[in-house]
Amino acid sequence: MPIATSNIKLEMDEVARLAARYEVPVEDAVLIALNLYGISSDSCQHRARVGVTVVSVPRVSWKVIVPLNAAGSPFRLVDHDLHLGRQCIGTVQRIDADEAVGGYFRDGGRAATLNPNARSRCVGCAFCPNTLEAAADPRFSEERELTELLAALVEQHPRRNLNELREVTVSTGCFEREDAAVAHLVGLRAALGSQGIGARIGFLTSVIQSDAAFADLAARVAPFVLRLTAECFTRRDLLLKASKARLRRVDMPDLLRRARQAGLDTSFTYIVGLDPLTEMRAGVAALGEHVTEFPNFQVYQAHNSIMAGLRTPGAEQLEFYLQARASIEQILGGRGLRPQAWECYRPLWYFTFAGERLVRV
């Protein structure tokens, strides 16, 4: 069933005008809008991984995760051509179902994301689309099972060589207790070590909060990056499941500070479009003082009318996200941190960051 949304009126000349106003490449503005509005097509897929190029830079391909049944979207897929209003603005090379699976590769095989604790069974947060996905991800609890997962990933690796891995990210919201999360990470480090893999482990979480846990991770799991799942700064009791909502906004900066003090790398994840821009700016500034890696900022996607109602006022418009992008660049740009294209499928940055080129074209 197509997503029930009102028709969005957006033409290429309007995108170009906004891009010029906020001094961003028009290609970046187009791709942000694509994440925001999804694609209208004959497909019934509510969420898919899509490889896309824009016509002005055909040598650079981007992977985005968007609904393909967004009936009100200004983006239309006709055969392999992607149209915005009356103009063909890109080409879609590949479409894959966005299933919740045990693991997959990013960054050309140099990074892997694992879903080792049945992400698809997570009750999830109000804004999260994971409950819409097909379930193909088992729950892993023993080191032997993690080793079996790594063995299966070898067969999927572009060069069948997991020693190329520089980063292994654990992406699941299903660890409700700190001790269970730490124990799993210790087991993962052992499983990686048995394969001769020394990659840094990253963990998206809000349940690891104690100094004792940080010390344990530094001693037994490092190199390690704690990616705090902040997600939003307002309406946390409404938007987040209980294990995330229990972490108060005011406590987040100190949590990251203590993790850094223990010798861990730090970052956070944030969904742009749930908070007013003033609240976003204040929260990002507070957390930004305590991160060693550029945070993961994602464009909020509404996959149904209920999720659309969760947006903060104004966040249904492309300009909101260009304003957010400019604010974040102003807050974090001086820290020397830059977004990595492979870390996020719904980012605010593609070809440039604060005028600096991120991708060779």
Side-chain angles (χ1 to χ4, degrees), residues 121-161:
R121 300 178 199 172
C122 180
V123 295
C125 302
F127 53 80
C128 183
N130 285 342
T131 54
L132 303 175
E133 298 176 8
D137 56 329
R139 182 183 296 272
F140 293 94
S141 57
E142 302 293 336
E143 183 179 330
R144 177 183 60 81
E145 293 172 317
L146 285 169
T147 301
E148 291 174 356
L149 172 59
L150 293 176
L153 286 175
V154 170
E155 300 304 314
Q156 302 173 32
H157 190 272
R159 291 161 295 281
R160 290 181 168 77
N161 182 8

Side-chain angles (χ1 to χ4, degrees), residues 179-239:
D179 58 343
V182 172
H184 180 82
L185 293 167
V186 171
L188 176 58
R189 175 56 72 196
L192 292 173
S194 69
Q195 305 289 320
I197 303 168
R200 183 173 70 169
I201 294 175
F203 189 39
L204 281 72
T205 184
S206 58
V207 301
I208 299 180
Q209 302 180 17
S210 72
D211 289 342
F214 296 152
D216 206 9
L217 291 171
R220 305 172 66 189
V221 181
F224 178 83
V225 54
L226 179 75
R227 300 187 184 275
L228 178 67
T229 49
E231 316 296 34
C232 59
F233 300 126
T234 63
R235 301 181 293 163
R236 291 178 60 80
D237 289 343
L238 171 66
L239 296 173

Side-chain angles (χ1 to χ4, degrees), residues 28 32 62 294-295 297 324-326 328-329 339 341 347-354 358:
D28 282 37
I32 293 170
W62 298 96
F294 193 86
F297 294 100
R325 169 177 159 138
I328 294 167
E329 289 177 348
L348 293 173
W349 297 274
Y350 292 89
F351 290 95
T352 69
F353 176 90
L358 297 174

Side-chain angles (χ1 to χ4, degrees), residues 1 7 13 29 71 80 140 143 152 180 198 216 280 317 336 341:
M1 178 180 297
N7 289 330
D13 57 353
H80 293 286
F140 293 94
E143 183 179 330
D216 206 9
M280 183 208 75
Q317 300 295 325

